[in-house]
Amino acid sequence: MAGIDRIERRLEEPPFRLPPEAFDDLQSRIGKLLSSHRSTLISTALSGASRLVEVLTVLALALFCAVFFTHSGDRQWQWLCDQLPVAARQRCTVGGAAAWRTFTGYTHGILLVAGTNAVLVGIALFALGVPLAVPLALLEFVAAFIPLIGSPIALGVAAVVALATKGPLIALLVVALVVVIGQIEGHLLHPIVMSWAVRLHPVVVALAVVGGAVAAGAVGAVVAVPLVAVAWSVYQALRSRTADVV
């Protein structure tokens, strides 16, 4: 609530000059709104808890499978290819190798982008004295897995925290940080990612992120770009093989 009070006072001062009555009983109105929708909020919280259990279950299953894939993934893939008709085995082997190469390259690159962004944000927020620097840096790390839009959203949250706790000057510096990190990510880090994986046009990346978000929410936005990159690399590998055969 103290942060909300500070934001109200900032908005009443220049250059915004909002009238004080615009914020009269704002906190009480928020409390009444929460009270009137208590049942909805409780059901939403329970639904979120069940969803969290589902996510943790999927993560545990993914970790369990990842151990075996890492230990003997090549033998499992070879077994799968051997079950196919003879005419399709070579194409499956070529496509699988291209898909794995692209996926691992993209994963290494996006981890580099997320880690670099998180370190830069954490250092900058700590230097500016913004509270919750470590949680905000972790938020930036997670958000960086959504290309183009994830990092600005996370830094927007950091700017709001800076405005509520340190005032407009520090908030403007955080906004400047958004611009700087966006330039580093767009002109240095992401080109490295795409060179390790498959070079995708920025329009393709944007459409993939939006389409994934519409289809499956935040999870879709995260997996859309690597999925498109893998599909495109498999297509290119199979097309090159067909051209060599012809």
Side-chain angles (χ1 to χ4, degrees):
M1 291 300 181
I4 295 177
D5 291 337
R6 292 192 188 96
I7 293 177
E8 290 179 4
R9 289 196 296 271
R10 299 296 180 187
L11 293 176
E12 291 174 3
E13 296 172 355
F16 302 102
R17 297 185 181 277
L18 294 179
E21 58 269 15
F23 304 104
D24 288 346
D25 299 327
L26 178 61
Q27 296 181 11
S28 63
R29 281 183 287 177
I30 293 176
K32 291 179 181 178
L33 179 64
L34 294 177
S35 299
S36 61
H37 295 81
R38 181 176 302 175
S39 59
T40 303
L41 293 174
I42 293 175
S43 63
T44 302
L46 293 176
S47 176
S50 62
R51 184 65 60 86
L52 177 62
V53 172
E54 294 175 1
V55 170
L56 293 177
T57 303
V58 172
L59 290 177
L61 179 60
L63 180 61
F64 177 79
C65 294
V67 172
F68 288 96
F69 290 159
T70 303
H71 179 262
S72 59
D74 53 344
R75 296 196 297 272
Q76 295 180 35
W77 179 253
Q78 187 60 47
W79 177 87
L80 177 63
C81 293
D82 291 341
Q83 310 311 307
L84 299 174
V86 176
R89 291 178 185 177
Q90 186 61 31
R91 293 175 61 85
C92 183
T93 301
V94 172
W100 182 249
R101 183 173 58 253
T102 300
F103 178 74
T104 54
Y106 184 89
T107 302
H108 294 160
I110 202 66
L111 285 173
L112 173 62
V113 171
T116 303
N117 284 3
V119 170
L120 292 176
V121 169
I123 293 174
L125 295 180
F126 182 80
L128 294 173
V130 177
L132 305 176
V134 174
L136 290 173
L138 292 177
L139 176 63
E140 170 64 24
F141 178 82
V142 175
F145 284 87
I146 304 178
L148 301 180
I149 63 174
S151 182
I153 292 175
L155 290 175
V157 174
V160 173
V161 173
L163 177 63
T165 57
K166 291 295 183 178
L169 178 60
I170 301 299
L172 288 176
L173 291 177
V174 174
V175 172
L177 179 65
V178 175
V179 177
V180 172
I181 292 182
Q183 294 299 313
I184 295 175
E185 181 178 344
H187 293 88
L188 178 62
L189 298 178
H190 268 296
I192 294 177
V193 174
M194 295 309 170
S195 66
W196 283 351
V198 175
R199 293 187 179 275
L200 297 177
H201 194 278
V203 174
V204 176
V205 175
L207 292 177
V209 171
V210 173
V214 171
V219 175
V222 171
V223 304
V225 174
L227 181 62
V228 171
V230 166
W232 179 244
S233 68
V234 171
Y235 169 75
Q236 286 185 316
L238 295 179
R239 186 179 63 176
S240 299
R241 180 180 179 277
T242 302
D244 292 340
V245 171
V246 174

